[in-house]
Amino acid sequence: MSDTRPTRLTALPLDEHGRASLDGTWEFFPGDHVREELDALVPESIAVPGLWEAQGHLELDGYAWYRRRFVLEAVEGACWTLRFGAVMDVAEVWLNGDRLGSHEHPFTPFELRATPSLRAGVNTLEVRVFDPPLDDPLHIRSAHGKQGWANHVFPSRPSLYMTYGGIWQSVTLRRHGAVLAQDVFISSDPDDLWVQLDLHNVTQQDVRVHLGLRAVGQVHERDVQVPADAQVRVVVQLDPTVAGRWSPESPALHELLVDVQLGATLSDRRRLGFGLRTVRVAGDQILINDVPYRMKSVLVQGFRADALYAEGDRDEVRKEVLAAKSMGFNTVRLHIKAFDPTYLEVCDEVGMLVEADLPVAEPIAHEELGDGTELSRRCVEAITEQVRRDRNHPSIVLWSCMNELGLDREGVRSWDVYEQFARTLYAATVAEDPTRPAFENEWVEPDPDRVFCSPLLCAHWYGRLHKDYLDKIDRACDEWSGTGRPLYVTEFGDWGLPDMPLLPDAPFWDPYDVYAAGLAGTLWSGSVARFTQETQRYQGLSDRLQIEVFRRHPSVGGYCLTELTDVPLELNGLLDLHRRPKELAVREVTTANQPVLAMLHLESLVVRAGALLEAPLHVTNDGPALRDVTVELRFGGVTPARDLGALDTSGLSEEELEARFTESVGALRVGDLPSYRPVQVGTASLRAPMVPGNHDLLLLLRTGGRVVSTNQYPVHVVAEPHAPCAVRLVGGAEAAHALAGIGTTVGDEGPTVVAEGALDGTSTSLLRTRLDAGETVLVLAHEPQHAPHYPVAVELAAVETEWGSSVFHFTTDSGALPSFPRRNLLVAEESTVQARSVLRHVDGTAFPSEPVVIAYKPVPGSITGTVVGAHRVGPGRLLLCQYRLLGPAARGDAAACALLADLVRWAATPRATTHAERVRKPDGRALTWYSWPEGGA
């Protein structure tokens, strides 16, 4: 189809700087075609900038053509350049039938000479775009960011980790003179301020230009000879300046003006903003403006509900960055791509620090690591282009050369070519910007022996809300202290489901159907909305307690929480994909990010009623020294089980705090608090409330009598564990010791208790005999390999504590475990006893006759199973518990003792019911299972 009708086109307007935007509606030809045959095709319309997937072409991989016609009134007497902000991934450009050039990096700008192809009148611009599919060899030989990442875990669709295509950033045409100022870089050190730039002569004649620089009240001028079709690098040393410094608290910005004068004509002019600040590594710290940098970062992926793998407009970006800042974060980690420059400009303006990732990540061609390969060339080019584009932004304080490279190929980090690759990429980064430190490879463990050039170490420590994991990262922080290098935990974080309204016309990534269907297969009795809210409470507390571990350790310079916003199927964001907050999670993390924070190192959030609670008290201070510091501790009243959300104390006055927390326990006088470090200031000792239930434990930190920060812990108070029963024990001494601690006698009568791990072929026969006799058997936690030894057929599934969706435990309406609230998702009540495996099937059914605690792990790796329950086996009753109780109970752990006592009392109490046992099918219908007679087992 031919459409060269100039009467329908108006002349392209140029602004005062000679620029014209080519954004707008373009013709679009999906698929690969012969360029000369495009006129015979009927095009679609598409918006530029924008990814084609965001405009309805979700299934399009590979090639597509773009075309735009425009009119210029005159072109003679000037030079012209076409600039593409970014094209994803590979672009070939033609102007009026002339091939201008190509570019093969998806995130960075490129410029092409439009002279002499440009002409007065109608011009035709054509762009052939290639989006390499996952199975194309180019994909793993390019710096592709998170395109196509982990599709075996997060299949796209509905995940947004697909490959993308399109002209996704702006296109401009610029008129200029013979010599351009390019790659302008101004150092940010006010005591060592210099400017570096390249003067590029785009003509075939030698010229002499007059270069003028203006910045922070200084003017520098010089004449420079520039040969034909060549570049000349110019470095200008400026004087030290006392102009305003840039900092997160006071983000002062300045302007550098560069003029290139050719005779009486202005050949080129560049304006760029910059800030004055220093970043340097000193021992095991990073100093910004000579002040220790305490990283409080949140990872940003740059996906949006409408634009998919493209950021929003300036207002949307500003709201997002300010939302992160309002939660107490001082840094954003812009993850594995070069973000639109608008994002960095907003960070400059509002004072948000940035760790800028470079787009090198898995999947990658491991066999082609090293030097001299196509992979290496492309990655170096991508890094060079991004650093040159962004290095003038004062908000950027760190680069990250690659992310978890080697995770998809075991042992690759021990290869010589990996070391070559790591050294090459690091060298490319610091060659373009020697003013900032860089992570060499964002890796899962610090591993200093495999960090060859960088002065920095990092770790990605993912886990869950339970004592084993918190103890694990506590030990890891100690283990990696004393390396002499700054250490940052640059990825961690737990999961919580977003609010999921039922939408009439849901987008392809909407999570409601997936999670509602999964939840329907459990025995959760409430709504989807209530379950999601409870998971957000879990997520917030889990994230906060992990942050407190990092903040207790002076060896850890800070942390980066994964992540600010959800990506469909990866739901660890504090905001959902629409940037709506998960309120309970946001509240907890905001508490954890306070500049000054008092923290208790609690072994458990479960205590016995009236017991003495003792815990080390730490205070971390990420600012100047404080004087006359005290920490007051108070218990509030019991919290009803129906309202277990995190307490928001941020808006309460001291009088309101007094009214809410009426039971003042005491205070510790800290005295003077040192700057920029955590300290253990003593041991807190206070008596737990006498009333069982959930109580709020509030910490008030005062300086000079003024409250400067608050912290709170949801403490679950249990009754004194007491089970004065007789049982028969199958197991060892630890079990006997634990049972004795709750008043249970081990002998030759009563129900049978099988200790953890004690099942074998011999015990199986014994248990079947006792069940056949109408007795009760309690089987405590076992690993999957023990499944064949259960007295009935069971399937045990291991639940690993690693990166991925969380395992949420909730209680049914059973009253068998009075220590637990009914019909609630459990958050802290079980953190010291969590199960390593769950029962997927019992006796051929999905659930036992009486489920008490259910485990639900959403996708990825979905699991539904039983943690605690009872099942009828002939005339007998089999109680099942996968919580690991005996070791903690033998040590006096309150949660373990309380649950063990509940289980023993339950086993020893005859079943006295005449109504039918009922469970729910996955479709919600009730199913009659057994009718047990009065006084039965």
Side-chain angles (χ1 to χ4, degrees):
M1 181 183 72
S2 178
D3 186 13
T4 58
R5 294 164 290 184
T7 55
R8 300 185 62 182
L9 299 173
T10 58
L12 199 64
L14 302 179
D15 67 14
E16 58 181 323
H17 305 295
R19 293 184 177 89
S21 172
L22 292 173
D23 293 350
T25 302
W26 289 47
E27 293 175 317
F28 185 61
F29 304 86
D32 201 11
H33 308 281
V34 177
R35 185 186 61 80
E36 290 80 3
E37 297 177 359
L38 293 180
D39 281 346
L41 304 176
V42 178
E44 303 178 31
S45 295
I46 198 166
V48 171
L51 296 165
W52 67 52
E53 288 83 2
Q55 301 181 66
H57 296 275
L58 283 169
E59 307 301 334
L60 177 59
D61 281 330
Y63 291 94
W65 283 84
Y66 286 74
R67 186 167 68 184
R68 166 76 190 265
R69 293 188 173 92
F70 60 91
V71 172
L72 285 178
E73 291 182 341
V75 298
E76 293 78 11
C79 299
W80 297 83
T81 296
L82 267 171
R83 186 181 194 277
F84 291 80
V87 177
M88 199 168 295
D89 287 28
V90 180
E92 295 178 87
V93 181
W94 283 261
L95 180 61
N96 295 324
D98 297 332
R99 188 179 186 277
L100 300 187
S102 63
H103 186 256
E104 58 182 0
H105 306 298
F107 303 110
T108 45
F110 61 99
E111 295 185 346
L112 300 170
R113 297 186 198 179
T115 313
S117 300
L118 204 65
R119 61 193 179 207
V122 178
N123 291 267
T124 301
L125 178 61
E126 295 160 318
V127 184
R128 182 181 186 236
V129 178
F130 179 44
D131 160 30
L134 279 177
D135 57 359
D136 190 284
L138 180 59
H139 181 72
I140 60 173
R141 292 177 174 87
S142 64
H144 51 67
K146 291 199 81 170
Q147 292 187 81
W149 178 77
N151 274 201
H152 61 291
V153 179
F154 301 107
S156 58
R157 329 186 264 163
S159 164
L160 298 186
Y161 294 132
M162 61 182 74
T163 58
Y164 292 91
I167 304 174
W168 71 287
Q169 291 186 23
S170 290
V171 184
T172 54
L173 178 67
R174 186 163 76 97
R175 182 183 63 197
H176 53 81
V179 178
L180 294 170
Q182 295 181 324
D183 294 326
V184 181
F185 180 29
I186 182 167
S187 74
S188 58
D189 187 344
D191 297 321
D192 183 21
L193 193 60
W194 45 267
V195 177
Q196 172 186 291
L197 57 90
D198 293 332
L199 293 175
H200 187 190
N201 183 354
V202 298
T203 70
Q204 300 302 312
Q205 296 180 339
D206 296 352
V207 295
R208 188 174 187 83
V209 298
H210 186 73
L211 175 65
L213 303 178
R214 294 172 177 81
V216 290
Q218 301 183 43
V219 178
H220 180 93
E221 297 181 348
R222 68 169 64 172
D223 291 335
V224 182
Q225 187 76 18
V226 188
D229 198 20
Q231 288 188 167
V232 173
R233 175 153 293 182
V234 179
V235 178
V236 177
Q237 184 71 46
L238 301 180
D239 296 329
T241 179
V242 295
R245 274 35 172 186
W246 187 98
S247 69
E249 299 76 26
S250 179
L253 292 173
H254 306 283
E255 184 179 72
L256 170 66
L257 178 65
V258 179
D259 281 346
V260 181
Q261 198 79 18
L262 184 59
T265 304
L266 183 66
S267 180
D268 194 15
R269 168 170 286 176
R270 297 293 173 112
R271 295 177 184 270
L272 61 91
F274 70 96
L276 296 169
R277 58 105 188 90
T278 58
V279 184
R280 64 186 180 91
V281 177
D284 63 356
Q285 290 185 315
I286 292 176
L287 304 180
I288 300 178
N289 294 327
D290 292 323
V291 173
Y293 168 49
R294 305 296 294 176
M295 176 192 286
K296 297 175 189 170
S297 179
V298 64
L299 186 143
V300 180
Q301 301 230 45
F303 290 92
R304 295 193 69 89
D306 50 357
L308 304 184
Y309 201 25
E311 299 84 46
D313 61 26
R314 181 175 289 273
D315 287 344
E316 290 169 330
V317 170
R318 188 177 184 86
K319 290 177 182 176
E320 179 174 311
V321 175
L322 290 177
K325 198 164 189 177
S326 71
M327 299 178 209
F329 292 108
N330 63 8
T331 308
V332 289
R333 181 183 172 196
L334 302 184
H335 197 41
I336 324 184
K337 73 169 182 175
F339 278 54
D340 187 300
T342 300
Y343 210 107
L344 297 169
E345 292 167 5
V346 169
C347 291
D348 292 341
E349 293 164 5
V350 306
M352 177 62 80
L353 301 171
V354 172
E355 177 190 345
D357 284 13
L358 303 167
V360 182
E362 301 280 3
I364 202 165
H366 300 103
E367 287 76 10
E368 298 178 27
L369 297 175
D371 293 326
T373 66
E374 283 298 298
L375 170 65
S376 178
R377 176 188 65 79
R378 288 193 180 99
C379 290
V380 167
E381 285 181 1
I383 285 173
T384 300
E385 291 180 8
Q386 181 176 340
V387 175
R388 284 181 178 176
R389 190 198 72 170
D390 295 341
R391 59 190 174 180
N392 288 303
H393 290 281
S395 54
I396 296 178
V397 293
L398 290 163
W399 301 107
S400 175
C401 299
M402 49 187 171
N403 184 76
E404 292 184 349
L405 195 141
L407 198 63
D408 289 0
R409 183 70 173 271
E410 186 175 354
V412 71
R413 295 180 74 252
S414 65
W415 298 359
D416 290 343
V417 289
Y418 168 81
E419 179 177 346
Q420 293 172 6
F421 191 72
R423 290 181 180 275
T424 297
L425 268 56
Y426 183 83
T429 304
V430 299
E432 298 302 327
D433 181 13
T435 70
R436 296 171 176 89
F439 290 108
E440 193 173 296
N441 183 9
E442 283 267 3
W443 190 240
V444 294
E445 292 292 343
D447 197 10
D449 293 339
R450 303 303 295 171
V451 180
F452 308 105
C453 306
S454 173
L456 309 178
L457 300 177
C458 65
H460 297 174
W461 287 336
Y462 286 99
R464 297 291 170 258
L465 176 57
H466 61 79
K467 186 177 184 301
D468 287 356
Y469 175 71
L470 295 174
D471 288 348
K472 177 182 175 181
I473 60 173
D474 194 66
R475 292 191 302 270
C477 292
D478 285 332
E479 177 185 354
W480 293 110
S481 64
T483 64
R485 302 198 218 184
L487 169 64
Y488 299 92
V489 181
T490 47
E491 288 187 29
F492 80 100
D494 216 326
W495 294 46
L497 303 181
D499 295 337
M500 294 182 284
L502 188 57
L503 303 175
D505 187 20
F508 71 91
W509 47 259
D510 184 76
Y512 184 89
D513 286 346
V514 172
Y515 295 99
L519 199 56
T522 72
L523 300 183
W524 175 252
S525 59
S527 65
V528 173
R530 180 161 173 260
F531 191 84
T532 59
Q533 183 182 47
E534 290 289 278
T535 68
Q536 293 169 20
R537 180 169 65 93
Y538 166 93
Q539 177 188 6
L541 185 61
S542 181
D543 286 347
R544 177 164 73 85
L545 293 182
Q546 292 176 62
I547 290 173
E548 289 191 5
V549 173
F550 305 140
R551 295 196 72 181
R552 288 199 304 262
H553 286 269
S555 59
V556 177
Y559 48 86
C560 178
L561 177 65
T562 307
E563 57 195 315
L564 183 60
T565 63
D566 287 340
V567 178
L569 300 186
E570 188 182 8
L571 303 178
N572 47 2
L574 296 172
L575 313 175
D576 69 12
L577 195 62
H578 293 282
R579 277 50 179 177
R580 296 174 300 208
K582 300 176 184 176
E583 294 287 359
L584 298 180
V586 166
R587 193 178 299 166
E588 292 281 10
V589 170
T590 303
T591 294
N593 281 337
Q594 292 175 96
V596 182
L597 185 67
M599 306 171 289
L600 290 174
H601 186 177
L602 293 165
E603 290 297 312
S604 172
L605 291 173
V606 178
V607 297
R608 298 183 187 185
L612 187 66
L613 187 155
E614 294 184 303
L617 177 64
H618 300 255
V619 179
T620 184
N621 177 20
D622 292 338
L626 298 174
R627 301 179 62 84
D628 190 21
V629 175
T630 61
V631 178
E632 185 176 344
L633 299 94
R634 300 179 179 184
F635 267 113
V638 66
T639 303
R642 64 179 180 277
D643 184 24
L644 295 177
L647 176 67
D648 184 7
T649 60
S650 57
L652 300 182
S653 67
E654 289 198 49
E655 292 76 13
E656 290 169 323
L657 287 171
E658 290 280 356
R660 174 67 179 82
F661 292 84
T662 56
E663 187 181 344
S664 180
V665 176
L668 279 78
R669 179 170 178 78
V670 177
D672 295 342
L673 195 64
S675 61
Y676 302 105
R677 74 191 69 174
V679 291
Q680 182 176 342
V681 297
T683 299
S685 179
L686 61 159
R687 190 70 60 180
M690 295 301 297
V691 179
N694 284 61
H695 297 254
D696 295 309
L697 173 57
L698 179 70
L699 280 65
L700 300 171
L701 187 143
R702 305 175 191 265
T703 60
R706 179 176 60 91
V707 174
V708 297
S709 75
T710 64
N711 198 0
Q712 68 273 338
Y713 298 91
V715 175
H716 186 61
V717 177
V718 295
E720 182 68 26
H722 193 52
C725 312
V727 300
R728 288 174 287 178
L729 178 63
V730 177
E734 183 181 59
H737 179 62
L739 290 167
I742 59 172
T744 299
T745 303
V746 175
D748 297 326
E749 58 181 18
T752 300
V753 176
V754 181
E756 294 165 7
L759 278 177
D760 56 28
T762 303
S763 57
T764 303
S765 299
L766 172 66
L767 300 183
R768 286 175 178 164
T769 299
R770 293 182 178 177
L771 289 167
D772 289 343
E775 298 181 14
T776 296
V777 172
L778 167 61
V779 178
L780 297 178
H782 283 74
E783 301 299 325
Q785 64 267 24
H786 293 101
H789 303 308
Y790 274 71
V792 296
V794 300
E795 178 188 343
L796 286 169
V799 178
E800 300 294 334
T801 301
E802 58 185 12
W803 177 86
S805 62
S806 298
V807 184
F808 301 113
H809 293 175
F810 63 86
T811 57
T812 66
D813 199 29
S814 170
L817 302 181
S819 297
F820 276 170
R822 295 188 183 188
R823 300 181 301 281
N824 266 96
L825 190 141
L826 301 171
V827 174
E829 295 90 344
E830 54 168 7
S831 61
T832 57
V833 297
Q834 268 197 336
R836 290 197 184 101
S837 57
V838 296
L839 293 138
R840 292 288 298 269
H841 292 92
V842 179
D843 201 17
T845 66
F847 300 103
S849 308
E850 185 179 352
V852 178
V853 180
I854 300 297
Y856 170 50
K857 181 182 186 293
V859 293
S862 179
I863 292 176
T864 299
T866 303
V867 183
V868 179
H871 193 71
R872 179 75 172 185
V873 181
R877 182 174 52 151
L878 177 64
L879 307 187
L880 304 158
C881 175
Q882 285 299 109
Y883 286 125
R884 294 167 289 140
L885 302 177
L886 296 182
R891 297 188 295 271
D893 178 81
C897 291
L899 288 173
L900 185 60
D902 287 347
L903 289 165
V904 171
R905 289 196 302 269
W906 185 24
T909 302
R911 182 76 175 190
T913 59
T914 56
H915 67 277
E917 287 293 310
R918 300 171 73 83
V919 298
R920 289 173 57 201
K921 286 186 173 181
D923 63 5
R925 291 178 296 143
L927 171 68
T928 299
W929 200 258
Y930 287 116
S931 182
W932 289 355
E934 183 76 26

